[in-house]
Amino acid sequence: MLYIVLCASIHGVEGEQHSSSDRVIFLLPSASASQAASGWSATALRCFYLFGKSSSKSVSQVQAQATGAMAEQTYTVPEFRQRTAEETEEYQRVTANVGKGLAVIQEELHRMRIATKAQVDSLAIQREVKDMRYRRDDLLEEIPRMPDFLVALRPHTVWEKTPVKLFCTVQGTPRPIVQWYKGGVPVDPLSAPGKYKIENMYGVHSLIISRCVVSDTAEYSAVATNQHGTATSKATVIVKRPAGAGESCYLGLVPHLSEIHRSKLEVSFLDRFPVTFGVEGSSVTLVCTMVVVPDLPNLPPLAQWYRDDKLLTTSKLVDMSVSGSEARLTLPHLAKDDEGLYTLRIFTKDGTTEHSAYLFVSDAAPSAPGAPGAPLSVKAYDINSDYVLVAWKPPNIVNEAPVTGYFVDRCEAGSDTWVQCNDAPVKVCKYPVHGLSSGRSYYFRVRAVNSAGISRASRKSDKVTAIDAAESERLQVIKIEGKRDIVIKDDDLEGYVTIPGEPTDLHASEIFKSYVVLSWKPPSPRGRAPLWYIIEKCLAGTGAWQRISTAVKVHSPRYPVFDLQDGQKYQFRVYSVNMYGSSEASAPSEPIQKVDPDGVPSAPGQVVATRNTKSSVFVQWEPPKQPKNLMGYYIDGRVVGSKEWFACNHKPFKHSRFVVHGLIPGETYVFRVQAVNVFGLSDESQESSPIAVEPALAMPSAPHGITMLSSDGSSITLAWKSPKHCGGSRVNAYYVDMRDADTLVWKEVNLTGFTERICTVDNLTEGRFYEFKVQAGNLAGVGLSSIPSAPMKCEAWTMEEPGPAYDLSFSEVRSHSLVVLWKAPVYTGASAVTGYFVDMAKKGSSEFITLNQEAVKHRYLQVADLEEGETYVFRIRAVNAKGIGKPSQLSDPVCARALPGTKEIVAGVDEETGDVFLSLEACEISETSKFVWSKNYKAIGDCPRVAVTTKGRTSRLTFTHPDKDDLGRYSVFVTDTDGVSGSHTLTEDALNTMLELSHAIRNPIVPLKHGLNYEVLEKGHVRFWLQAVKLSPSVSYRFIVNDKEVTSGEGHKISHDVATGIIQMTLDQFTRTNEGTYTVQVHDGKAKAQSSLVLVGDVFKAALKEAEFQRKEHLRKQGPHFSEYLYFTVTEDCTVKLACKVANVKKDTTFHWYKEDEEIVPETAPNVMSGACALSIPLFSRKDQAVYKAVLSDDRGKDTSVFDISGKVFDDIINALATIAGASASDLVLQCTPEGIRLQCYMNYYTEEMKTVWKHKESKIASSEKMRIGGTAEMAWMQICDPSDKEKGHYSIEISDGVKTHVRTFDLSGQAYTNAYEEYLRLKAAAFAEKNRGRVVGGLPDVVTIMEEKSLSLTCTVWGEPTPEVTWFKNEQEVASTEHTKIMFDGGKFASLVINKVTPDDSGKYSINVRNKYGGEFVEITVSVYRHGEQIPEPKLGQPKTATPVPPKSPAPPSKTPTPTPKSQTPAPSMKSPASTPASTPVPKSPTPPRSVKSPTPPRFMKSPTPPRK
């Protein structure tokens, strides 16, 4: 393309040449010179005029220059370029065409010149008309006129809770001031914030009343005033209440309101939801408050919520509501799926208004330490009748181990049971789930796995129903006459088909290293019978097909294959099968090899972080060069200097830029980014450059709160409040503009910026009204102007009370307290200001309360007892001798809530220098922040008593020479923050404590944890040591003993340990010569310490004794010795054992036991090789008190252990026995005896040394004749002798072991006592009979052998009361007294049977029967007679003679209780020689008891005497 460029310079009015940009450029395109004429005639000439002031003169110059350029001479061919005839002809033809083109250009330029001139003339005429109008307006403004309403107020009738707007137009010279009244009372917008709004725009004055109530019904008037008069316009406003909503208004008729649609409402946001942070499992609510005009209860505005530009709908996981005052979105169960950018869009009459903010959702606490976070965004794809493909997004991994795989779980709808789908973790974020039941619905969830454990489960997917996706494709819908639908299945068109066709288009739809998913198209024709598929595989190219075994029939045209070998290629084919048979095989698939085709993306490129706000940073990066189906990005951050990374987002972010919120203001961070796809997370990008969290530099916002402080008639003193946003740079200048309220022209008050927020405007006209506005400036420039102030009248203040205080600010805002500060009034009134009153009200309320009953003299006040989270406003009233002045302007609202991370001022002492300081670490800071310290809320500034240093976010106030003059309340305020501040009251006690610590640091000593002490070591060595709190490697020290320095050498070892701070000296030999004073002197840098220990007298003797003992102990342990000396134990069967442990023994080592130096030989010899020996002492009692000794010896030495069982040791053993015995004690058992009633308690062991107490009715029983106490080894008993009714009652035994008391009880009353007493009487009678019955006391032998012709005398002593009868028997026949056999019974005591001259016939069995009324006794004697010369027969010893009792004639009364079988008793035999000649030799012989002899009745028991033992 050829361009011909024509340029013309443009000159200004004065003829000055402009720059090259001040040119008109003409571009004339053409394909070739031959087409120039036609091309230029068909295109418009393009004119570009860049940067220049236009005028009629400059345009004419352009035209002249353009004409001149066109009039230049034609081109002449030089001689050296002469052409041939043909060339000349061609050249002339081209020249003719160019000439025609130039003519076209000239015509176009002429047309443009005329058009430009017409436009310039039109602009000149418009400018002249405007100037004339301004001159007319100025003339009109100079004519004085009183106010006049061009448009008057008109009446309104409105519904309750709807707004109304009254407006009027007024004119006058000078411009009138309009004041609004309600019922004759001025309307004050500040009295009800938000209720009234007064506007003045272009001469139209308006009063807007929002949310009218019935009480707003009144007559409203607008009063316009200037120097020449006053005009008034009035109108009535009637507010009606709808029927049924309460009492109706008393005025007028109900107004007619047209129908209002929700999109016709006026909506303005008030409070917007901020960036929000949540945690999985918790809930969060996003709220926007708004003002709706009109506010109709039944017609809320139309609101829509979006997450990442996707419209949200109400569900179990999302709850949305909207009313006239707020729109609310609640997420009751947060998951990382909920993270994103949330947008609220409200439809208004002007279109839409919306607000957006990000919601961050972090991982909940892991199921196991180090486990990964839960996966997210679980969804199901490719849904078939028995198959779905589940996909998800991987979690962000920051400091945890990498994810090694995932488990997929499914749950059938209506059930709470989750079933794991895969046995081994799948490594990609997709998994094919097969084996589903057709027609059933399922939920799916995913869990991540790493080396530390398994994550929490993800949020479950949406409900998925397993249906055949191809079923709908087999349906055809035919419309008849456009009204009726006929549905036809392909089965109807196919006809009758039995065997289906083969599947087609077999291919792999998913190929991963873990699995391959086969997909195919269903057969056609298919048939009506249910269809399933059979799949075969083979190695590619082999043709060896094998059927793939499936657990269930495959009904879907999808099937995942898992068990393929790595590196092998496979081919597959599929058969269609139904009840009639199988189809032909499908065409084999292409060779398929399982492999991960892509892998994770490459790492993102350069990461750049820039400033955004005071708590956020804008991060952007270059996308990865190999995205590989990118899902998004994860951004991580780290504080500079820390090794721990934190996740900035928990859901993959799709764009390559992100705002990281929730950062610590002033802190420095670095960031990195990872790309995410189905295979996981890429490598981390390179870290960004460190960036401090600071707001982006911008111009400050507008100041506000302009207030009048004083006026003298020619000047006004103003003050204003700081901008709410400084723009990231300190505000360094303020610019004030003013105007007369009657004009629209603003004038600059100052050209040089004010540094303070107060100024005095001079050269004003008294009596006129003025308006002011202020701009703030910083490094970025001058910001927007404030809203113009209310008109201020310049007139001299003459009131006697003071003017308003100003510049209210807050410090140390906490949850329940704050400090309000202010500045003194500029106008003091008739006398000096003596104090101030502080008033407070809740935001939106007009009810102020005065906080101080008496005026405070200082200009600050601490306010307490605030409600946390409540918002308050304050005002100040100054006081002088004449009264209370006008209140200050209301403060900005302040919320009673501390900033996150707020810290208080800390008082301390520098460990290095000893300086006393106050320090504050700010929770946030900006680049322009400064720490402003104050004492008693007066700025300290440059003061020689203190020095202020700042490092990072910490500022320190150091006292140079602290004393009592420094006491007071210190505070610090951090500028350019949201009110970071703190205070601390320095008291005298705290200062004295810090001064003491300061002195210790400046005059350092080595602090000691422990002073010099000694310790006796093994072998009798003595260690002297002290421990310092801290020692440096350069420490030096000296040990001085009795004023002589001791160095390390023979017998002395001196050392130290810097880590523990221990300095020590060890003496190998500690003898009497070592008595004295020991001192250690320590030098560590500038610090010193000294510690002494005096070892003399008894202290030294104790140390020496211990050293000798340890020395002996060491020697003792060289041979066999006791590792544990004798001690006692008690077994469960109450056997006392003396035990010990031995060490350093061998087989030849002997062990001996001694009691009172007499050796004890136990049944089992001690086994010293076992390491323990014991001596059992059964049935322990007082008799076992003694000194026991164990001796261990061999050729290496001997060791002895002594154990003295007496005193406390004996008592301890008894208590140990009592513990076991008391626990085993049975319940009390009742037994009757002839003496009385006995209570018995059986236990493992009993001895009278145990502390046992018997009680009757809670009274202790002492052993007496009436109440006898005793026991055996198996039981303790208490016997009631000769019982009576007095002994009835509750009995108990208490067994005490010194710690615990074991109690057993028995209730001896009622029937129990009656039965026991009857049994006692029976036994008593039986015992009396047994005692007084007849019996042989002694004198008779068992066997008598006697020679023939000798005389035999059998004599015995008998007893009985009354005197018994005596009868002798021979061979059971009574013997009568004769000459040969004489029977004698002398004195009722001695009974004799004498046989004179015995013969062999006298041999036999003799017996004596002694009896009275209580009973008797048989005694038998065997008599053998041998002839002279015969050998004396050997005596045949049998059983000892048995005295057989004979029952009395009158037996005892029968017992009511059963009688147990008595045990056989064997009494000792009674042997006595008879009174006979010496030749007679009695021979013992076993007697034969007579027949029909009964035994006496033994005692009977009330209960079994041997109960089960515990």
Side-chain angles (χ1 to χ4, degrees), residues 73 537 669 1462:
Q73 297 179 0
K537 69 176 181 180
Y669 294 85

Side-chain angles (χ1 to χ4, degrees), residues 1044-1056:
K1044 293 183 179 179
E1045 183 177 357
V1046 178
T1047 58
S1048 186
E1050 185 177 356
H1052 300 78
K1053 295 180 181 178
I1054 299 175
S1055 62
H1056 74 281

Side-chain angles (χ1 to χ4, degrees), residues 291-335:
V291 174
V292 181
V293 179
D295 185 5
L296 302 178
N298 298 325
L299 190 66
L302 177 61
Q304 293 180 344
W305 288 89
Y306 295 83
R307 177 172 58 226
D308 295 331
D309 295 331
K310 292 183 179 179
L311 181 64
L312 298 178
T313 57
T314 301
S315 66
K316 292 182 179 179
L317 301 176
V318 179
D319 182 28
M320 295 179 288
S321 63
V322 61
S323 65
S325 60
E326 69 176 21
R328 180 182 296 267
L329 170 70
T330 300
L331 305 174
H333 304 288
L334 279 180

Side-chain angles (χ1 to χ4, degrees), residues 12-89:
V13 177
E14 303 298 330
E16 297 179 356
Q17 179 75 33
H18 284 258
S19 64
S20 60
S21 62
D22 298 337
R23 299 175 183 269
V24 177
I25 305 173
F26 303 97
L27 301 181
L28 302 166
S30 177
S32 64
S34 62
Q35 300 172 347
S38 60
W40 294 337
S41 62
T43 59
L45 186 63
R46 299 172 186 165
C47 176
F48 298 90
Y49 176 63
L50 305 176
F51 192 76
K53 296 182 180 179
S54 62
S55 66
S56 58
K57 183 176 180 181
S58 61
V59 173
S60 62
Q61 290 178 351
V62 172
Q63 295 172 350
Q65 292 177 4
T67 303
M70 297 298 297
E72 291 180 359
Q73 297 179 0
T74 57
Y75 178 73
T76 304
V77 180
E79 293 181 359
F80 63 89
R81 297 191 62 182
Q82 294 296 330
R83 297 177 176 85
T84 62
E86 292 80 4
E87 292 175 345
T88 301
E89 183 180 358

Side-chain angles (χ1 to χ4, degrees), residues 1441-1454:
K1441 179 182 69 173
T1442 303
T1444 305
V1446 178
K1449 295 178 181 179
S1450 300

Side-chain angles (χ1 to χ4, degrees), residues 1151-1304:
F1151 189 96
H1152 298 278
W1153 291 98
Y1154 294 91
K1155 178 181 179 182
E1156 298 293 351
D1157 294 330
E1158 293 186 5
E1159 185 174 0
I1160 303 173
V1161 180
E1163 294 181 359
T1164 303
N1167 181 13
V1168 295
M1169 299 305 295
S1170 67
C1173 299
L1175 174 66
S1176 297
I1177 306 177
L1179 303 178
F1180 182 86
S1181 63
R1182 196 173 298 278
K1183 63 181 175 59
D1184 295 307
Q1185 291 189 105
V1187 176
Y1188 292 82
K1189 182 168 60 176
V1191 178
L1192 187 69
S1193 62
D1194 59 19
D1195 56 356
R1196 296 170 296 168
K1198 181 175 72 172
D1199 196 10
T1200 303
S1201 177
V1202 178
F1203 194 73
D1204 185 2
I1205 300 181
S1206 62
K1208 185 178 183 303
V1209 175
F1210 179 79
D1211 294 340
D1212 292 342
I1213 297 176
I1214 292 298
N1215 288 336
L1217 290 170
T1219 299
I1220 299 175
S1224 66
S1226 69
D1227 294 331
L1228 288 179
V1229 177
L1230 177 68
Q1231 180 175 349
C1232 295
T1233 68
E1235 291 79 14
I1237 299 174
R1238 177 179 292 185
L1239 296 176
Q1240 301 177 162
C1241 180
Y1242 291 88
M1243 57 192 76
N1244 284 2
Y1245 177 66
Y1246 173 76
T1247 178
E1248 62 181 4
E1249 286 80 11
M1250 291 182 184
K1251 298 176 183 178
T1252 56
V1253 175
W1254 288 88
K1255 289 185 177 181
H1256 176 220
K1257 298 179 181 179
E1258 302 303 326
S1259 298
K1260 185 177 180 181
I1261 300 175
S1263 183
S1264 63
E1265 290 296 329
K1266 182 69 175 177
M1267 308 288 260
R1268 297 179 183 175
I1269 297 175
T1272 65
E1274 293 185 351
M1275 70 175 176
W1277 54 262
M1278 187 275 298
Q1279 180 166 294
I1280 308 170
C1281 298
D1282 192 13
S1284 62
D1285 288 347
K1286 292 182 180 180
E1287 281 72 47
K1288 291 182 179 179
H1290 187 273
Y1291 288 84
S1292 64
I1293 181 174
E1294 296 179 355
I1295 307 169
S1296 175
D1297 58 9
V1299 177
K1300 184 178 180 182
T1301 300
H1302 306 269
V1303 181
R1304 302 292 184 268

Side-chain angles (χ1 to χ4, degrees), residues 980-996:
V980 178
S981 56
S983 67
H984 181 83
T985 301
L986 185 61
T987 62
E988 186 174 357
D989 292 341
L991 180 60
N992 291 336
T993 302
M994 289 189 290
L995 288 175
E996 292 177 2

